[in-house]
Each structure stands twice: as structure tokens, then as C-alpha cells.
Amino acid sequence: MSLLNQIDKNNIPKHIAIIMDGNGRWAKKQGKERIWGHQAGVESVRKVVEAAAEAKIQFLTLYAFSTENWNRPKQEVDALMELLVNTIVAEVGILQKNNISLKAIGNLKSLPGNCHAELQKAIQETSANTGLSLVLALSYSSKWEITNAIKLIVNDILNNRLSKEDVNESTIDQYLCTHSIPDPELLIRTSGEYRISNFLLWQIAYTEFYFTKKLWPEFGKEDFYEAIIDFQHRERRFGLTSEQL
Ligand code: IPE
Ligand code: IPE
Ligand code: MG
């Protein structure tokens, strides 16, 4: 029986974010090239998107390519960008069919022209869908995002569109790429690494973390449900005492 049935329907996280890590190591274990692992990783994306839709999650953010990943060998970067375009083109119909809207966060202008164009097209085409919002973090890093937000805020202050006195935490929220997205309640990282790697630093201030040793291509629907169930057994205190909750 699927773990989906064990999930408490009254305590579903609105937003789950995932650092999908371990594709390269998974490929190496089978004596294959790293890109083989990235291709297998797309299958896990498919499964987890389906699982998130079935569990009625509203936002699923997937860390697909970081600012730092641009420094990988050119051959791997090129292959990843090609995989991205091909996957978007191949999957947009399925997104439509399942009422899923595609969104993206990151320095999208730095993506190759065809990637950027196909991505924008898919975002546009699925924008009216009301089910799961699938957010891809592409050419994303949190320090880039925060720096960008500060530049936008300073610019608006200098142009009298915003006053310094009005800058508060929710102003900052509004200038981040994630402005229309609630903070994630749960962050999952695969592959046994215990780090954040420049992902959503501002937004994870009170997020619950779930780490698993499974490599991303080994991660499937039941693993996703297991993470949600684990999350549901935690007490989120937000600085209060247990008795106050
Ligand atoms: C995650 O897998 C995918 C991306 C970062 C694009 P990796 O490619 O980082 O795989 P490992 O960590 O080298 O095994
Ligand atoms: C984080 O994975 C980025 C993505 C999953 C896209 P990395 O493999 O790039 O992270 P580090 O280098 O191990 O911290
Ligand atoms: Mg990695």
C-alpha cells in the first residue's frame, strides 16, 4: 500500500523544495558518464511531480541548476541545457493535462537563448492552470537573488517609488524571485550531503530539513511521501515553547 494513504490530509505542506543531488555519483556507480545520471534524474522529476500533485501540494520547487554549476565542464553544462530544453518541450503537454503551472526562479537571462525561449513559452502556456505550481530553480543562487533584490530596492528608493522607512521583511519578500510563493515548510536534499549550496537562504528561515542518502535517480514517489510523513511528526515551535502551541 502506498504511503500516500498515511499522509495526514489536514497537515499538508503548501510548499516543498528539493535539492536534487547525486546524479553524477549514480552514473559513476554504473560505470557511465555523468549525463546518463542527469537523464535518469529526469525520471525522478517526473515521479516526484506526479507524487506532489497526488498529495495536493501547492508548490514544488526543484533546484535544477545553480549559479555555481556554470563552472562545471562545458560539455556537462551544454548537455544539461539540452536536456532542459528537450524535457520542457516533451513535458509541457503533460503539465497541461494535469493542470500544473510551470514557474522559474533564477537569473533566467543567463540561460542559452533557446532554453530561455522554450521555458518562457511553457510558463506562458501553463500559466492559467490552477493545480500544482512547479517551480524550477535555474541559474539560481540565493546570494545572487538577494543581491538582485537589494539592487531593485535601492533603485526604487532612488526613484521615489519606495521610501526607506517602508522597507520591512515583507518588502524584501516582494523583491525576491519567489515573491508570489510562500516559504517552503519542508526542504529535502538527496545524496547524503548536509548542506544548502546557496539555495533559498532567506526563504528557509523556519523550514524543516529532510536529508536522505538516496541519490536523486533512486528517489521516487514513496520516498517523497516518507519525507512528508516525517515532516508531519515534527513540532514546529517558531521560537515558542511546546506548551504555548
Ligand atoms: C545534481 O546532481 C544535478 C545538478 C547539480 C545539475 P550532481 O550532478 O550534482 O551529482 P553529484 O553530486 O556529482 O553526484
Ligand atoms: C546543488 O547541487 C545544486 C543543484 C542540485 C542544482 P551541487 O551538486 O551543485 O552542490 P554542491 O556543489 O555539492 O554543494
Ligand atoms: Mg552534486
Side-chain angles (χ1 to χ4, degrees):
M1 199 172 71
S2 169
L3 289 173
L4 179 59
N5 302 303
Q6 289 178 34
I7 292 176
D8 174 2
K9 303 288 179 298
N10 298 314
N11 183 21
I12 303 280
K14 274 202 184 74
H15 181 183
I16 299 180
I18 307 182
I19 302 175
M20 311 183 289
D21 198 14
N23 294 348
R25 278 164 282 168
W26 184 83
K28 201 172 171 186
K29 276 208 311 201
Q30 1 250 318
K32 307 258 200 218
E33 299 279 320
R34 292 179 58 82
I35 188 65
W36 172 268
H38 296 312
Q39 282 161 352
V42 174
E43 285 306 314
S44 289
V45 170
R46 256 187 219 113
K47 291 177 198 159
V48 167
V49 169
E50 199 177 302
E54 282 169 19
K56 303 267 188 295
I57 306 296
Q58 292 179 30
F59 295 90
L60 177 69
T61 298
L62 302 178
Y63 202 5
F65 193 84
S66 74
T67 305
E68 288 75 20
N69 290 150
W70 287 115
N71 299 320
R72 290 190 178 191
K74 185 177 183 308
Q75 192 197 0
E76 181 171 348
V77 172
D78 289 349
L80 276 167
M81 291 300 146
E82 197 185 316
L83 187 61
L84 175 66
V85 183
N86 293 344
T87 306
I88 293 171
V89 173
E91 300 296 319
V92 69
I94 312 230
L95 297 180
Q96 289 293 33
K97 200 171 129 237
N98 293 309
N99 196 23
I100 298 170
S101 67
L102 186 68
K103 296 179 169 59
I105 55 172
N107 187 7
L108 306 180
K109 289 189 204 113
S110 67
L111 295 171
N114 64 329
C115 259
H116 189 249
E118 290 299 341
L119 180 67
Q120 292 303 339
K121 208 170 120 200
I123 290 172
Q124 194 61 42
E125 280 174 26
T126 61
S127 64
N129 292 343
T130 54
L132 174 72
S133 291
L134 172 61
V135 185
L136 296 182
L138 290 167
S139 191
Y140 175 88
S141 77
S142 199
K143 288 196 175 185
W144 167 82
E145 180 188 37
I146 292 170
T147 307
N148 187 56
I150 292 171
K151 283 184 191 162
L152 295 172
I153 290 171
V154 170
N155 198 43
D156 277 358
I157 291 174
L158 293 177
N159 289 293
N160 297 316
R161 286 192 290 264
L162 179 70
S163 83
K164 190 181 105 192
E165 286 67 36
D166 289 340
V167 175
N168 56 30
E169 290 182 10
S170 61
T171 321
I172 295 170
D173 281 333
Q174 285 158 32
Y175 282 84
L176 295 172
C177 302
T178 49
H179 52 82
S180 50
I181 303 171
D183 289 344
E185 292 97 323
L186 174 61
L187 171 70
I188 299 170
R189 183 171 189 147
T190 57
S191 89
E193 306 293 0
Y194 300 94
R195 56 177 172 260
I196 299 301
S197 305
N198 216 345
F199 192 42
L200 302 176
L201 299 178
W202 171 271
Q203 297 89 339
I204 59 172
Y206 258 107
T207 297
E208 297 292 329
F209 294 168
Y210 181 89
F211 295 102
T212 168
K213 289 213 155 45
K214 282 206 178 173
L215 302 170
W216 178 248
E218 299 163 343
F219 193 86
K221 289 173 86 163
E222 296 302 312
D223 301 298
F224 184 74
Y225 297 144
E226 203 175 309
I228 296 175
I229 293 165
D230 190 278
F231 163 85
Q232 291 183 328
H233 287 103
R234 301 186 191 184
E235 184 177 69
R236 305 186 74 206
R237 290 191 286 278
F238 300 100
L240 304 182
T241 68
S242 211
E243 292 68 31
Q244 283 177 295
L245 296 174

